[in-house]
Amino acid sequence: MSALTDLIYSGSNAVAGLTEGAVNDAIAKHGADTPVVFPDTAYFFPTIYAATGVKVKTLGDLPACVGVLKSLITNQDDLGAALNAGLATAVGAEIIEGLKYVGGADPYAEDSGIGFVPDPIIRSLGVPLVTGDIPGVAVVLGKADDGADVAKVVKDYQSKGILTFLIGECIEQALAAGVKMGLELRVVPLGHDVTSVIHVVTVAIRAALIFGNVKPGDLAGLLAYTKERVPAFVNTFGALDPVVVSAGAGAIALGFPVVVDQDIGGLQVPGALEAVTSHDETAKHSLSLRGIHIKVKELPIPVAFAAAFEGEIIRKADMKVEFWSSKNTTCELVTMRDADAVEDHKIVIDGPDIDNGETEYALATYIEVYGAKMQKDFESVIERKIHAWFNYMEGVMHTGQRNQFRIRISNDAFHKGLRMKHFGEVLYYMIMDEFAAVVDKCQVTLVTDPVKAKKVLDEEAMPAYNARDDRLSSMTDESVDKFYTCILCQSFAPSHCCVVTPERLGLCGAVSWLDAKATKELNDAGPCQPISKEGCTDEVKGYYPDVDRMVHAATQGAVEHVSLYSIMEDPMTSCGCFECICGIEPISNGLVICNREFKGMTPTGMTFGELASMTGGGVQTPGFMGHGRHFIASKKFAAAEGGIARIVWMPKELKDDVASRLNATAKELLGIDHFCDMVGDETITSDPEELLNFLTEKGHPVMNLAPLM
Ligand code: SF4
Ligand code: ZN
């Protein structure tokens, strides 16, 4: 037998023995009927469920899974068979980790790792992965001889936006070297036992179920999906033992190349298992093995600039200066000008710079652009990106937009030399890079003088915001002559296509009709293509021949008909990254809406994750539909079924968030004041019978509607 297959089998057999023993012990201790579940998932033990279709719910379900696991270990001297044994190790790791959660325990409460990754987090990763904002996923495992090396590799990934999961002592090594961690910083510590690697494996596996519509039990479909669509790879640090090697074989079976830092000579398998002994080369080689190309942004600023810093939080104690609407005048405005009114790359700081000793300043960020193809409608599209770009600077935090924002600059960034002109450079470079197709010249003025900033706010910004709001509110599905497709999510959900209209943004919440229009202008053959409104065949349900034609083509024939306004008949497909899901609540005959962040139970008897698993992956499921938060107050929400009058329950946070807009729509369409007071939430009840009583008592308009089914 070859040395490699030998090592793999030896690891897999060891894991099989450990798993069997652990299952038997757990059954003896707790009883076969004891439930065993991972937190906040609709996919049971995801590896077992995806590979075999078996839904593990209790300890008594596990011995059969151990049988399957053992059957994967054939001990045949063949690399393909040995890779299957690697999958057995993954199943074993899943069971061993799952047993830690018996009885609702939180085994990671005291650990620096997070353990199992809940479904909603995976869904939230959809958009950054498809836009390339997260260009890849690294799994870093083990303990380096020199902790500084592992930290350097992880920081390198972080600066490139790679989402990195850490397993083992490398967590402490990276922490000791000052790596900042957290999901928002794209470095996620999983756990210390090697079995905790399964928590990133199930992220890839659930991506196949959530976005890819891979059917549970379709092992070949699963492996093809992870190989082709999940851009992951593995780096191991330190000595290899058989268990690590067999886990690595599992990764290879999923299509993820493994790079080890030990000299393994003849054990290498080109493209799948390779040795890179110089840590300076680890990241570069790993990315090239997975075909991940990173566009490096070299900006003339003294701090790092990467999407990975978007979620960085700067606390008061670490803060050097602040621009905050509650204390000083602030505004951000992008405005289009004539060619001769814009001097390209002119950056003006009008007022004190941040080194004059104050801690609080006013700030009017005033950006003038000219472009032969620039349109007034694109001003807000560019302006909204300021938030992300400022956040990408390490040591800068930006929240809010328009005239309501807060920017903090850290002491650290200040000491590295960050000043106002660098903010101007970032805006200039990013606008010229991302909006090259529509912007030919750009000039940035940053006004910190409070009197002058107020003048920009009053005379330029407020009138512009008001004009835009008027335009947006007058923009309806009827007032435009085309809609747009968006197929950005197809890299994960191959048969999904959003239809974006003025009154219905993409279900991710990130693509409005204006964004789609700008995307078409920026990238003619790109993900957003126009749909003609000619020949509407049903205005109530929203059937258009060209919608069907475009969606049919965009989904390679997977979807035939889509209605724009019905959730019961040919509803729009869902990919998986939707902000909210709505579903039928049969007792009240209404619709429950649940957002991704809500962890509790809804009156449908399902959590967000369970509701979400009813659809997705590009399928149409009448009665269930993913959508953006903003869509809730739209006059087109479930319009064919009675519209917003169907909404009977939402989590409180979501309800509060949409209240002012939803109340306004209800006033206009239904003549009802304070509609949201009639809508249930978890503080009122999550029980369907009690909800019905509440709705009856409040005189909710759903009471007068015809049954949904
Ligand atoms: Fe994905 Fe639809 Fe959002 Fe486009 S609009 S990014 S397809 S969810
Ligand atoms: Zn999506």
Side-chain angles (χ1 to χ4, degrees):
M1 189 169 290
S2 88
L4 179 59
T5 52
D6 208 22
L7 261 176
I8 295 172
Y9 285 125
S10 136
S12 305
N13 282 310
V15 170
L18 283 174
T19 309
E20 185 163 34
V23 168
N24 291 341
D25 289 352
I27 291 177
K29 186 167 168 204
H30 304 281
D33 293 337
T34 300
V36 58
V37 288
F38 285 111
D40 213 353
T41 181
Y43 303 97
F44 313 96
F45 277 41
T47 312
I48 294 172
Y49 180 55
T52 67
V54 170
K55 300 174 177 175
V56 172
K57 291 178 180 166
T58 64
L59 290 175
D61 295 327
L62 289 173
C65 301
V66 174
V68 173
L69 177 171
K70 285 180 169 171
S71 72
L72 286 166
I73 310 173
T74 58
N75 296 312
Q76 282 169 345
D77 188 15
D78 165 76
L79 187 60
L83 295 183
N84 278 338
L87 291 176
T89 300
V91 171
E94 179 164 274
I95 294 174
I96 291 171
E97 286 290 311
L99 289 174
K100 294 182 180 173
Y101 289 88
V102 168
D106 179 3
Y108 285 90
E110 306 287 308
D111 196 297
S112 50
I114 64 163
F116 190 80
V117 179
D119 291 357
I121 291 181
I122 299 176
R123 292 176 182 278
S124 73
L125 294 172
V127 170
L129 279 162
V130 295
T131 54
D133 195 21
I134 297 179
V137 178
V139 181
V140 173
L141 183 153
K143 180 181 183 190
D145 291 342
D146 180 354
D149 283 9
V150 86
K152 208 169 137 206
V153 171
V154 172
K155 277 188 184 164
D156 191 5
Y157 289 145
Q158 190 174 41
S159 74
K160 294 183 162 77
I162 300 277
L163 177 63
T164 306
F165 291 93
L166 304 179
I167 297 108
E169 287 299 308
C170 60
I171 296 175
E172 275 62 38
Q173 291 187 312
L175 281 170
V179 174
K180 296 174 200 155
M181 295 188 193
L183 183 69
E184 64 294 346
L185 292 164
R186 309 250 169 106
V187 178
V188 185
L190 284 180
H192 290 81
D193 295 340
V194 65
T195 46
S196 64
V197 71
I198 195 65
H199 300 311
V200 54
V201 171
T202 77
V203 169
I205 287 175
R206 279 176 285 160
L209 298 170
I210 290 173
F211 301 107
N213 195 28
V214 169
K215 294 281 174 274
D218 176 9
L219 180 60
L222 172 71
L223 297 182
Y225 184 93
T226 53
K227 184 179 167 73
E228 284 159 25
R229 299 186 186 268
V230 182
F233 57 86
V234 181
N235 292 161
T236 71
F237 285 84
L240 295 168
D241 64 41
V243 172
V244 170
V245 174
S246 73
I252 294 168
L254 291 161
F256 309 150
V258 177
V259 171
V260 303
D261 71 344
Q262 309 288 304
D263 185 359
I264 53 168
L267 293 186
Q268 295 192 71
V269 181
L273 175 63
E274 297 197 7
V276 175
T277 49
S278 159
H279 292 135
D280 289 338
E281 297 296 317
T282 306
K284 201 167 137 226
H285 191 73
S286 302
L287 293 173
S288 78
L289 272 181
R290 203 66 178 101
I292 298 168
H293 306 285
I294 312 260
K295 208 162 105 192
V296 198
K297 295 206 167 69
E298 293 291 351
L299 297 177
I301 60 173
V303 295
F305 184 85
F309 298 112
E310 191 171 359
E312 186 185 17
I313 291 175
I314 293 162
R315 295 179 207 292
K316 198 143 194 153
D318 305 323
M319 177 188 101
K320 178 72 183 175
V321 299
E322 183 169 57
F323 310 90
W324 186 19
S325 317
S326 299
K327 297 276 187 72
N328 288 291
T329 300
T330 61
C331 63
E332 295 170 339
L333 184 71
V334 172
T335 188
M336 68 185 271
R337 289 261 182 269
D338 292 335
D340 47 11
V342 181
E343 187 181 323
D344 190 41
H345 205 169
K346 181 175 173 190
I347 294 171
V348 179
I349 313 301
D350 195 352
D353 206 331
I354 53 176
D355 52 7
N356 86 330
E358 305 289 326
T359 51
E360 290 165 349
Y361 296 85
L363 179 62
T365 300
Y366 185 56
I367 303 170
E368 294 158 281
V369 296
Y370 160 77
K373 289 187 160 174
M374 180 66 193
Q375 297 181 24
K376 198 88 191 139
D377 274 349
F378 300 160
E379 290 177 344
S380 62
V381 174
I382 301 175
E383 193 179 293
R384 253 191 11 222
K385 299 281 304 201
I386 297 174
H387 167 72
W389 294 333
F390 279 178
N391 270 321
Y392 287 0
M393 289 189 267
E394 186 174 15
V396 176
M397 178 178 88
H398 179 285
T399 56
Q401 57 167 336
R402 287 193 171 183
N403 59 328
Q404 292 296 328
F405 66 74
R406 181 177 201 159
I407 299 175
R408 282 182 168 181
I409 300 174
S410 74
N411 281 313
D412 202 30
F414 180 83
H415 292 309
K416 283 180 181 156
L418 189 72
R419 297 294 181 270
M420 287 321 289
K421 70 165 186 280
H422 301 120
F423 283 72
E425 293 288 7
V426 162
L427 293 170
Y428 175 78
Y429 276 87
M430 294 310 292
I431 288 173
M432 297 312 278
D433 181 50
E434 290 192 16
F435 293 91
V438 293
V439 176
D440 303 328
K441 293 202 283 179
C442 171
Q443 154 180 339
V444 180
T445 310
L446 298 163
V447 186
T448 54
D449 177 295
V451 177
K452 290 179 180 168
K454 180 87 170 60
K455 202 164 142 64
V456 175
L457 174 70
D458 292 344
E459 292 174 16
E460 300 282 343
M462 287 317 292
Y465 301 153
N466 291 335
R468 258 186 230 162
D469 286 345
D470 288 346
R471 159 114 175 101
L472 276 178
S473 61
S474 70
M475 224 168 57
T476 61
D477 288 5
E478 290 75 28
S479 74
V480 298
D481 63 353
K482 40 172 124 48
F483 303 142
Y484 289 91
T485 58
C486 181
I487 55 163
L488 208 51
C489 282
Q490 284 200 352
S491 42
F492 288 100
S495 57
H496 171 68
C497 175
C498 276
V499 178
V500 181
T501 77
E503 291 176 86
R504 177 183 204 157
L505 77 175
L507 54 80
C508 57
V511 179
S512 70
W513 184 83
L514 283 181
D515 295 318
K517 184 176 169 205
T519 301
K520 170 69 183 163
E521 202 60 51
L522 294 170
N523 181 358
D524 191 46
C528 297
Q529 296 299 323
I531 302 175
S532 150
K533 284 176 59 192
E534 290 291 304
C536 176
T537 54
D538 185 335
E539 286 187 0
V540 176
K541 290 179 185 156
Y543 280 107
Y544 293 83
D546 207 35
V547 168
D548 281 354
R549 188 182 65 83
M550 290 292 285
V551 172
H552 189 256
T555 61
Q556 290 84 42
V559 180
E560 298 250 348
H561 301 289
V562 167
S563 72
L564 298 188
Y565 308 133
S566 171
I567 92 157
M568 298 307 291
E569 193 178 303
D570 302 323
M572 220 176 279
T573 60
S574 300
C575 44
C577 67
F578 37 82
E579 288 186 303
C580 303
I581 176 112
C582 67
I584 294 177
E585 199 293 290
I587 295 179
S588 63
N589 212 2
L591 293 172
V592 158
I593 303 176
C594 188
N595 55 303
R596 204 157 58 198
E597 295 78 11
F598 184 68
K599 292 191 182 353
M601 186 53 74
T602 73
T604 59
M606 291 188 265
T607 60
F608 172 83
E610 289 161 338
L611 280 165
S613 72
M614 299 296 292
T615 182
V619 299
Q620 296 172 292
T621 314
F624 296 89
M625 193 177 65
H627 57 84
R629 274 182 179 240
H630 202 263
F631 185 52
I632 296 171
S634 169
K635 289 180 201 163
K636 297 295 193 288
F637 179 87
E641 282 86 26
I644 56 164
R646 285 283 176 195
I647 301 175
V648 295
W649 192 94
M650 277 187 265
K652 178 109 174 48
E653 180 272 323
L654 180 64
K655 193 164 83 172
D656 291 347
D657 184 38
V658 301
S660 68
R661 291 176 50 249
L662 184 55
N663 283 338
T665 307
K667 177 77 185 162
E668 188 181 337
L669 293 186
L670 309 169
I672 294 175
D673 286 305
H674 309 296
F675 174 64
C676 285
D677 294 349
M678 300 177 165
V679 176
D681 64 50
E682 76 280 14
T683 67
I684 296 164
T685 181
S686 298
D687 175 82
E689 300 288 350
E690 279 180 27
L691 176 63
L692 183 64
N693 292 340
F694 169 80
L695 299 169
T696 313
E697 191 185 301
K698 293 282 177 186
H700 190 292
V702 77
M703 296 311 189
N704 307 321
L705 295 178
L708 273 171
M709 294 186 289

